[in-house]
Amino acid sequence: MALCIIGCGEPAQTEMTLLPFDQLPVQETLPDPLQFADGNPVNTESQWHEKRVREIRTLFSHYMYGYMPPAEAIQTTIDDVDAHYLDGMAIKKQVTIRFGPEGTPPLHVLLVIPSSQASPSPVFLGTNFYGNHSVLADSMIPLSTQWIPERGAGVEDNKATEASRGTSIDRWSIEQVIHAGYAVATFYHADADPDKDDFTDGLHASIPVDGSVARSDTSWGALSAWAYAIHRSVDYLVQDPDIDASRIAVMGHSRNGKAALWAGATDPRIALVISNQSGCGGAALSRRKMGETVEAINTRFPHWFSRSFWAFNNNEDRLPLDQHMLISLMAPRPVLVASAEEDEWADPEGEFLALKAAEPVYKLLGYSGLNNESMPTVHQLVGAELGYHIRPGGHGVGPRDWDVFVQFANSHFGVATESN
Ligand code: GCU
């Protein structure tokens, strides 16, 4: 039996016993987020915030995503500012964020801020799949020099070429989002960890956890590295006078949606999270075994989670957690789970049911949560702090999804726009 260490660099204020895999009880039903590890009920808001949140974060760190190192102080350089960007509609900043021991790869954050805003702007922050140069067709955005998967448009020998500029414009829909009154901040997830099965590059190779950069059973996987880098970007955003530090939303699609949820669950400065088709390891319940299973994800992407998660291949019922508990860690902050009808791999119903099962935590804290018993039909955004939306079509993210993200964020951030 191991004694718990609290993850994410927080002071240990509680201890719980973390059983080895073969001593974990089989639980066919969902574990109760409102029950302490010792079996006692969580009855009050302070019990939730002061103890249960830490327990649940520890469970996810220990058995699934791996422990992140403590926060490292950041140093930032503003490399480029364009005050008349997008025909004067926006201000563009390119920021390098450095942290950690010598040799730690920096994060390159692209920030586009609406210039029409009188006050600091709310912001959508998130990791991108193929480099900042892919989200806008702008020759002033340097091509990423990181490893990029071959499936990326305009990628040759795992390197970006000029042909890859602007190939993910729709995924971020930056002009549309700026027009709605939001800033967008994004960085390529490979700055934190290239998306391949190794532990030899990115933050893993530079920032030790428990004194070592070698991969242990509970070391951070790629999703934890991406989430950690999102936290370091938040460190920058809260200092930028053009950004409203109280309205930072993190958005992620698919694997980046998994990282967005984990980042939001471990950093209360993130005011709102949007998970788009994040599926297995994100918003979808593992115990359903629908679409992508734990075994399928660990087989294809063994580097995303901690090694300790591999034991749950075909053993989902031994998990002392499930994804509703990940969502509940956001409470009472808003979370939107967005699915697509034909994206069965991400198990839309499992995503809805996870949201629903997080609701008792919101209710304990005095909020209404989802307030919807069954899955809505397509095109309806339902819920209160817990929002759910399903659209027709398959896996992907684009302008019509951003309409929904903005609508959800507006209702919580109090933004009024022309499109309202
Ligand atoms: C694969 C993977 C999913 C992931 C998706 C994506 O389909 O199995 O878990 O969400 O890629 O990131 O697009």
Side-chain angles (χ1 to χ4, degrees):
M1 278 190 229
L3 263 195
C4 163
I5 329 92
I6 298 294
C8 319
E10 291 183 353
Q13 288 183 3
T14 183
E15 284 190 341
M16 66 191 278
T17 302
L18 291 162
L19 294 169
F21 168 77
D22 51 9
Q23 287 176 33
L24 288 167
V26 172
Q27 279 176 274
E28 280 166 16
T29 54
L30 293 180
D32 186 352
L34 292 177
Q35 193 179 79
F36 286 114
D38 64 9
N40 285 316
V42 179
N43 290 320
T44 65
E45 189 175 340
S46 64
Q47 286 177 338
W48 169 260
H49 284 303
E50 281 158 29
K51 187 168 171 200
R52 186 57 176 153
V53 164
R54 289 169 193 282
E55 285 190 355
I56 298 178
R57 281 186 191 164
T58 301
L59 292 173
F60 278 103
S61 298
H62 195 81
Y63 294 106
M64 190 166 179
Y65 300 110
Y67 291 94
M68 295 181 209
E72 296 274 352
I74 62 160
Q75 292 93 43
T76 55
T77 323
I78 313 277
D79 304 316
D80 171 45
V81 177
D82 183 342
H84 299 281
Y85 200 53
L86 301 178
D87 295 328
M89 237 168 57
I91 302 163
K92 176 183 71 179
K93 296 184 190 178
Q94 299 194 73
V95 183
T96 300
I97 304 179
R98 292 191 173 78
F99 51 91
E102 180 117 24
T104 305
L107 305 178
H108 300 286
V109 176
L110 170 67
L111 180 58
V112 187
I113 305 158
S115 43
S116 57
Q117 294 283 104
S119 50
S121 302
V123 61
F124 287 106
L125 162 68
T127 42
N128 62 64
F129 277 80
Y130 300 111
N132 294 348
H133 62 272
S134 70
V135 306
L136 283 166
D138 172 356
S139 59
M140 296 303 286
I141 301 174
L143 292 181
S144 173
T145 55
Q146 290 287 358
W147 179 93
I148 306 183
E150 289 285 338
R151 65 167 190 279
V155 174
E156 280 170 25
D157 298 329
N158 297 113
K159 289 283 170 207
T161 71
E162 286 295 325
S164 56
R165 285 193 185 285
T167 48
S168 297
I169 283 190
D170 279 358
R171 283 187 178 214
W172 283 88
S173 302
I174 289 182
E175 284 200 35
Q176 175 185 332
V177 177
I178 292 291
H179 193 66
Y182 288 79
V184 175
T186 183
F187 65 92
Y188 178 30
H189 59 211
D191 285 0
D193 189 33
D195 191 4
K196 52 191 162 73
D197 179 22
D198 58 26
F199 207 71
T200 55
D201 52 13
L203 302 181
H204 293 138
S206 302
I207 304 185
V209 183
D210 286 338
S212 170
V213 291
R215 189 175 187 188
S216 74
D217 281 352
T218 57
S219 301
W220 47 337
L223 292 170
S224 275
W226 298 344
Y228 182 88
I230 290 173
H231 296 166
R232 302 290 71 76
S233 308
V234 172
D235 294 347
Y236 166 74
L237 289 173
V238 297
Q239 296 169 20
D240 186 318
D242 292 327
I243 298 298
D244 180 349
S246 69
R247 293 186 294 171
I248 298 176
V250 170
M251 191 301 287
H253 166 61
S254 211
R255 67 198 69 186
N256 290 327
K258 306 179 210 293
L261 285 168
W262 181 223
T266 45
D267 190 338
R269 297 171 303 172
I270 295 171
L272 184 151
V273 167
I274 296 172
S275 139
N276 194 64
Q277 301 151 28
S278 61
C280 182
L285 293 172
S286 301
R287 274 177 175 70
R288 273 172 53 84
K289 300 171 212 156
M290 301 289 279
E292 187 170 29
T293 61
V294 171
E295 183 186 33
I297 205 165
N298 279 331
T299 305
R300 278 181 69 207
F301 306 101
H303 56 293
W304 282 1
F305 302 91
S306 60
R307 273 187 189 153
S308 53
F309 191 50
W310 302 352
F312 299 95
N313 291 351
N314 289 314
N315 279 308
E316 293 85 349
D317 290 350
R318 275 190 198 262
L319 279 166
L321 50 84
D322 213 319
Q323 299 311 101
H324 63 307
M325 289 163 71
L326 181 68
I327 295 170
S328 76
L329 287 175
M330 282 290 294
R333 293 166 290 153
V335 183
L336 170 65
V337 170
S339 310
E341 228 179 2
E342 288 164 26
D343 186 11
E344 288 172 16
W345 191 237
D347 187 18
E349 193 177 349
E351 296 193 316
F352 175 82
L353 292 173
L355 205 58
K356 184 76 197 147
E359 185 173 65
V361 176
Y362 282 74
K363 292 229 192 283
L364 175 78
L365 304 183
Y367 292 80
S368 47
L370 182 60
N371 245 349
N372 232 70
E373 286 315 310
S374 48
M375 263 180 94
T377 52
V378 289
H379 295 308
Q380 286 183 64
L381 174 58
V382 296
E385 298 80 29
L386 294 170
Y388 184 80
H389 184 268
I390 183 162
R391 64 152 169 81
H395 195 65
V397 59
R400 60 193 171 155
D401 301 300
W402 278 99
D403 281 339
V404 179
F405 305 163
V406 165
Q407 190 188 338
F408 182 74
N410 281 354
S411 65
H412 294 284
F413 284 170
V415 179
T417 67
E418 291 165 33
S419 54
N420 271 350

